[in-house]
Amino acid sequence: MKKLLMSLLLWGPMAVAQSLWIDVRTAEEYNAGHLEGAINIPYDEIEQKIEAVSADKTADIQLYCRSGRRSGIALESLTNMGYSKVTNAGAYKQLKQKQVKSND
C-alpha cells in the first residue's frame, strides 16, 4: 500500500488528466517490467485496494496483465463495484511494444 500511495504522489496532477493504468499481475511480474506510469494492484486484491487509488467510479481505468485473462477478471470485479469506465487493455508485451513505437 505504501508503494501505491508513493506512486500517486509522484504522479501528482497528471493522474487526473490521464487514464489510470493498473498492472494486475503479481508484484514479481511488475518488478520485472511494467508500463511507465502504471501502478501494481494484483487482480485478486483489486476490490480491496482500488478505492485508495480512485474512489471516482467514473475514472478512466486501463487494466493489463500478461495475457488479458487476469485483467478481464479485474474488470469484472470493478464493474460489479460500480466503476463504469474500465477497459481490459490486454497483454503487457503488446502494450509495451506499442508504447515503445509511439515514443520513436
Side-chain angles (χ1 to χ4, degrees):
M1 185 62 92
K2 188 174 182 179
K3 277 185 177 179
L4 181 66
L5 295 175
M6 287 303 295
S7 294
L8 290 173
L9 290 174
L10 292 173
W11 284 355
M14 288 179 54
V16 175
Q18 300 177 351
S19 295
L20 176 61
W21 284 85
I22 302 177
D23 184 327
V24 298
R25 299 175 301 159
T26 65
E28 293 79 17
E29 289 172 298
Y30 177 83
N31 290 333
H34 57 273
L35 297 180
E36 185 177 331
I39 59 171
N40 179 231
I41 305 176
Y43 80 100
D44 56 353
E45 299 174 12
I46 196 89
E47 291 179 10
Q48 294 80 26
K49 296 185 176 180
I50 189 61
E51 288 187 5
V53 177
S54 178
D56 178 4
K57 297 200 179 198
T58 63
D60 184 27
I61 300 173
Q62 303 288 322
L63 306 170
Y64 72 92
C65 63
R66 185 181 58 79
S67 68
R69 184 184 67 80
R70 289 177 282 180
S71 48
I73 294 168
L75 180 142
E76 186 175 334
S77 295
L78 293 178
T79 301
N80 288 339
M81 292 177 70
Y83 286 83
S84 60
K85 294 182 182 174
V86 184
T87 302
N88 179 350
Y92 166 69
K93 284 185 181 180
Q94 284 80 17
L95 292 168
K96 185 68 174 173
Q97 288 172 348
K98 289 178 187 176
Q99 189 179 53
V100 168
K101 286 180 183 178
S102 70
N103 290 335
D104 287 343

